[in-house]
Amino acid sequence: MVRRTAGTARVRGVSIQTFGQPGPTLVQLGNVTANEAWVVTPAGTWPIAEVNVTTVDQTNSTSHTPAWAIVLVVVFIWFFLLSLLFLLAREVRVGGYIAIHISARNGQTYTEQVPVYSAQQRADVFARAGYLQALIGHARAVRGQG
């Protein structure tokens, strides 16, 4: 039998703190999700106003001559020496991880490594981390006013 009171539940003589109704997920970074009140990670659930989020960019960018340019040079070198200009074509490849480090005021931490395979994906991860930091700032401002 479960008896509920405001903020706690009592199950078989043990009081358990309840977190209330979870809201919709506003942002997700790998296994980290957040709504307007909570940050949920595999390591635990914390009030959003009591966490800090930092990011570390561990991606690298390399520049290569694409395979199609090399093929065109080999095919057209006999007809036109200007085909060597195809070797000036470059393509940039992005790879690696972005580390999202979340630390709560109680000393608990969690680090999520988000894999990145393109420049657009890298920008998206940083935009999501920035949005999470904005949610934290908003929650702290609201808590400070109340």
Side-chain angles (χ1 to χ4, degrees):
M1 177 174 176
V2 176
R3 285 187 302 159
R4 291 184 185 260
T5 60
T8 62
R10 191 145 181 91
V11 179
R12 296 184 188 162
V14 178
S15 292
I16 301 171
Q17 181 181 4
T18 59
F19 294 115
Q21 292 293 328
T25 298
L26 298 177
V27 65
Q28 181 171 0
L29 287 159
N31 291 325
V32 177
T33 60
N35 60 28
E36 56 191 27
W38 301 98
V39 173
V40 180
T41 69
T45 300
W46 304 300
I48 196 164
E50 296 182 10
V51 297
N52 290 320
V53 175
T54 57
T55 57
V56 178
D57 188 2
Q58 298 172 337
T59 61
N60 57 14
S61 299
T62 56
S63 179
H64 297 279
T65 302
W68 61 265
I70 295 171
V71 169
L72 288 175
V73 167
V74 170
V75 169
F76 291 114
I77 192 70
W78 308 111
F79 301 111
F80 198 51
L81 287 178
L82 289 177
S83 67
L84 293 176
L85 292 175
F86 284 123
L87 292 177
L88 295 177
R90 304 302 276 172
E91 91 180 358
V92 177
R93 297 179 188 164
V94 177
Y97 294 89
I98 296 176
I100 310 293
H101 183 75
I102 298 174
S103 58
R105 289 192 180 165
N106 63 5
Q108 293 178 319
T109 63
Y110 178 74
T111 302
E112 177 75 22
Q113 299 277 348
V114 180
V116 174
Y117 301 107
S118 69
Q120 294 83 7
Q121 199 174 21
R122 181 179 177 270
D124 179 61
V125 170
F126 279 120
R128 289 171 186 257
Y131 182 64
L132 178 56
Q133 290 170 338
L135 286 174
I136 293 167
H138 177 71
R140 288 179 182 169
V142 168
R143 186 180 69 174
Q145 291 174 357

